[in-house]
Amino acid sequence: MGTMTASSFPIPSGASNYDEVSMQQSILFSDCLKGGNISDLKNLRMQLYSAAEYSELSYSNDDQKQIVVETLRDYAVKALVNTVDHLGSITYKVNDLLDAKVDVVSGTELRVSCIEQRLRTCQEYMDREGLS
């Protein structure tokens, strides 16, 4: 499974403020999730409903009810496993994106701390020079 980095969701160049950047990144992330996992889950839901309807009709019209029940159970177990797998994939993507954002925030905090330290040093220098 591929990893996402902060560069997976670049800051759009046309954005003029934080809200626009945030909105555009949300759209990019949403598109990334829709790329496979969310649409797969929706398709799986439709398949499950279809299988349930088919099984209900087969069960009421068929003499081999035990086979129908076993087939439906096997299908439901496979569908559940696929659903859990898709949710795990989505979770992985979200966690990876959050890790990348935490790294960006940590880097920004470090830069702000350095700027604050430089500012204090400049202020102390100006205070001493002002006294002499």
Side-chain angles (χ1 to χ4, degrees):
M1 193 171 295
T3 61
M4 285 200 231
T5 62
S7 62
S8 297
F9 298 100
I11 295 176
S13 59
S16 62
N17 64 34
Y18 176 78
D19 290 337
E20 287 180 30
V21 169
S22 179
M23 178 68 80
Q24 289 177 3
Q25 285 183 338
S26 295
I27 291 169
L28 289 172
F29 180 66
S30 176
D31 289 346
C32 174
L33 289 179
K34 287 179 187 175
N37 295 313
I38 299 294
S39 61
D40 287 347
L41 287 174
K42 288 180 181 178
N43 289 336
L44 188 58
R45 180 183 62 189
M46 290 187 297
Q47 290 173 5
L48 284 172
Y49 280 122
S50 177
E53 288 175 14
Y54 173 78
S55 296
E56 185 179 351
L57 291 173
S58 296
Y59 188 80
S60 62
N61 296 332
D62 199 340
D63 294 334
Q64 300 176 346
K65 294 181 181 197
Q66 185 63 29
I67 293 173
V68 172
V69 169
E70 289 175 8
T71 303
L72 178 60
R73 184 182 63 227
D74 291 344
Y75 186 83
V77 167
K78 288 178 183 176
L80 182 60
V81 167
N82 285 337
T83 301
V84 170
D85 183 51
H86 287 311
L87 291 174
S89 179
I90 290 170
T91 301
Y92 176 82
K93 287 182 178 183
V94 169
N95 283 338
D96 202 28
L97 178 66
L98 287 175
D99 287 345
K101 294 299 178 184
V102 165
D103 290 345
V104 168
V105 168
S106 296
T108 303
E109 286 177 343
L110 181 61
R111 286 191 292 272
V112 167
S113 176
C114 289
I115 291 170
E116 287 173 342
Q117 185 176 4
R118 288 179 185 169
L119 184 60
R120 281 191 302 269
T121 302
C122 289
Q123 187 66 41
E124 288 174 10
Y125 179 75
M126 289 187 330
D127 289 345
R128 277 191 229 142
E129 287 299 313
L131 292 175
S132 61

